[in-house]
Amino acid sequence: MAKSTNYNIELPAQTDFYDVDVTNANFTIVDTELKKVSDKATNSADKIGDLNTLKTVEKRHLVGAINEVKEGLGNVSSDASGTSYTDTTTQLGATNVQQAIEKIVEKVKALETELNGQVTRLSGINTELEAEIGTPTV
C-alpha cells in the first residue's frame, strides 16, 4: 500500500477494500500531528499574549500593531530643537527645548557679567575705604 510523503499515512488504492484498522491508524497519525500543531500554537500565543489587550487600534495582527506603534513614533523628535517647550512659567519666549537652553545660557552669562562688574565695583570701594581710613588690623 502506498504512503503519504510527510506523515506516512496509508493511501489505499481504488481497488482495495475498506479496512477499519488502516483508517484508524491514519486518523491516529493525523490526531497526533494536529496535537503537536495545537500545542505549538498555544505555546506561541502564551509567549505573544492576548492581542485583544493591545493598546493599538489593530488587534488582529501583531505585525500590524507593531507597525502602528512605529508610525506613531515616527513623529517623535529626539533632539532638543525638535522637542516643543511650553513657556508658561519662565517667560523665556522659547518654543522648543533648544531655544530655552540658549535663552537660559544667555541669562546666566549676563548674570555672570553683572556679578563680575559688582565685584569690581566693591573692590574699588574697598580700595577707597582703605585709602580714607587705612587698612584694618585684626
Side-chain angles (χ1 to χ4, degrees):
M1 186 174 292
K3 294 200 176 217
S4 70
T5 304
N6 298 309
Y7 297 105
N8 288 328
I9 295 174
E10 293 192 35
L11 304 171
Q14 291 293 326
T15 57
D16 289 342
F17 289 103
Y18 180 78
D19 184 345
V20 171
D21 291 334
V22 170
T23 301
N24 287 344
N26 285 342
F27 278 131
T28 299
I29 292 169
V30 170
D31 181 68
T32 301
E33 295 304 317
L34 282 174
K35 177 66 172 141
K36 289 177 187 176
V37 170
S38 174
D39 288 347
K40 283 182 182 179
T42 300
N43 290 338
S44 294
D46 288 344
K47 290 177 186 173
I48 293 172
D50 183 3
L51 295 178
N52 291 319
T53 62
L54 286 170
K55 304 290 184 202
T56 57
V57 173
E58 176 60 63
K59 298 194 185 309
R60 295 176 300 141
H61 302 96
L62 189 56
V63 172
I66 291 169
N67 286 337
E68 183 179 327
V69 171
K70 183 183 180 303
E71 287 172 15
L73 292 175
N75 298 327
V76 174
S77 177
S78 61
D79 65 5
S81 61
T83 303
S84 64
Y85 173 76
T86 305
D87 191 8
T88 54
T89 306
T90 61
Q91 304 298 314
L92 292 171
T95 58
N96 64 53
V97 173
Q98 184 64 42
Q99 287 176 350
I101 290 169
E102 290 168 1
K103 299 264 184 182
I104 291 170
V105 168
E106 285 175 25
K107 288 185 176 280
V108 167
K109 285 182 177 180
L111 287 171
E112 183 181 30
T113 300
E114 183 179 334
L115 184 60
N116 286 337
Q118 295 294 339
V119 167
T120 301
R121 275 191 223 108
L122 286 173
S123 179
I125 291 172
N126 188 46
T127 301
E128 289 176 17
L129 286 172
E130 285 177 353
E132 285 289 321
I133 58 174
T135 305
T137 57
V138 180

